Amino acid sequence: MLLPSVPAGCGAGGIAVATVSIIIPTYNEAPGIGALLAHLRQATADEPDLEIIVVDGGSTDDTRGLARRAGAAVVRSPRKGRAAQLNYGASQASGDILYFLHADSYPPPGFLADLRRARRQGYGSGCYRLAFDHGHWFLGFSAWCTRLPLLLVRFGDQSLFVQRELFAQICGFREDLILMEDQEIVQRLQAHGPFQIMPRAVITSARKYLDNGVYRLQAAFTLLAGLYWLGVSQPRLVGLYRRLVRQDKL
């Protein structure tokens, strides 16, 4: 299903320019939120009124204060959890395009043009490929796999854009999912129309891999994904995640 463009202001030549809302869920992201927001402001310097919404899940550090000082709109989600926070951020957003971004992922320069181009081409949703900020060969291989048109290699770290109308139509993220909410929503988005894997990459932090061991963490993620698709319940998956993954924020 192709979505009609919704005029939202005009650029050169009277061409409608879609507005974008960037929605970032946070929980104790004080070490990195300032740098991310500075990157976003630099990458979108020609759009000083761009809407950036930080949706906090109850941080006990200075995440909210740092985000406000960096110029973001900061809201406190009624519920902690990535799906709940993203849905709440979307409910506060005004953009034609909702762009969901993790707090440790950096989109490439010119990403707003990419999102608007995808909209003009009729894509209801999509994501970038992935790259890590570390040169480990296995991380490079894992990142290369994200160019493949396979649901199993769709991760929230790749960021996600969704046309506002489509997000409302599918009722957003499933808030009962603490894990795998990213693959679940992509599966529904793909069922509703064209999904674009854009040819450039979001650069994400390898910190969790380095803290846990690259192969160990990838094995844990593979196990958790497999159990999810086999129908294992969320409480059991979350319990296993907490036993396997160090420094988690669930």
Side-chain angles (χ1 to χ4, degrees):
M1 178 187 68
L2 301 184
L3 295 175
S5 295
V6 178
C10 294
I15 299 174
V17 177
T19 55
V20 178
S21 294
I22 303 175
I23 300 168
I24 306 169
T26 58
Y27 180 73
N28 290 346
E29 295 290 351
I33 191 64
L36 173 63
L37 293 173
H39 169 83
L40 293 175
R41 287 302 185 191
Q42 182 178 12
T44 61
D46 57 341
E47 299 196 36
D49 297 326
L50 175 70
E51 186 171 58
I52 302 177
I53 302 174
V54 169
V55 190
D56 193 66
S59 293
T60 56
D61 62 12
D62 195 29
T63 296
R64 294 189 295 275
L66 289 167
R68 288 191 186 97
R69 292 192 288 275
V74 179
V75 296
R76 174 76 177 268
S77 175
R79 290 181 55 196
K80 179 177 179 288
R82 186 167 284 147
Q85 289 172 233
L86 292 172
N87 281 345
Y88 187 71
S91 75
Q92 305 299 302
S94 61
D96 304 314
I97 301 171
L98 305 176
Y99 183 52
F100 301 103
L101 181 69
H102 284 190
D104 59 357
S105 295
Y106 286 61
F111 69 95
L112 292 182
D114 292 340
L115 304 184
R116 288 166 174 151
R117 184 181 308 111
R119 177 180 171 88
R120 291 194 302 270
Q121 292 172 346
Y123 289 99
S125 58
C127 67
Y128 281 102
R129 298 174 184 176
L130 192 63
F132 287 96
D133 62 358
H134 191 276
H136 193 288
W137 77 268
F138 189 77
L139 294 178
F141 172 72
S142 296
W144 181 90
C145 290
T146 63
R147 70 186 57 208
L148 302 174
L150 302 174
L151 180 61
L152 292 178
V153 293
R154 296 283 77 79
F155 308 107
D157 287 333
Q158 295 172 252
S159 71
L160 177 72
F161 75 86
V162 187
Q163 308 299 336
R164 167 181 289 280
E165 302 95 330
L166 178 56
F167 190 77
Q169 182 180 351
I170 68 166
C171 299
F173 289 87
R174 274 184 52 184
E175 296 187 12
D176 60 316
L177 298 183
I178 305 302
L179 293 173
M180 305 299 292
E181 81 292 334
D182 43 10
Q183 289 194 1
E184 193 282 331
I185 195 172
V186 170
Q187 183 179 36
R188 285 186 288 129
L189 288 169
Q190 290 177 333
H192 278 76
F195 184 94
Q196 184 179 42
I197 304 169
M198 290 181 285
R200 297 196 292 161
V202 162
I203 298 175
T204 196
S205 172
R207 177 185 57 190
K208 187 175 287 187
Y209 281 89
L210 301 178
D211 288 344
N212 287 272
V214 171
Y215 305 119
R216 180 180 178 278
L217 187 60
Q218 187 59 57
F221 284 163
T222 301
L223 173 63
L224 290 163
L227 292 174
Y228 166 78
W229 288 109
L230 288 173
V232 173
S233 70
Q234 284 287 304
R236 292 184 63 186
L237 289 177
V238 170
L240 182 59
Y241 182 100
R242 287 173 171 157
R243 291 196 296 273
L244 293 176
V245 179
R246 303 186 189 107
Q247 298 184 7
D248 71 271
K249 296 183 179 181
L250 292 183

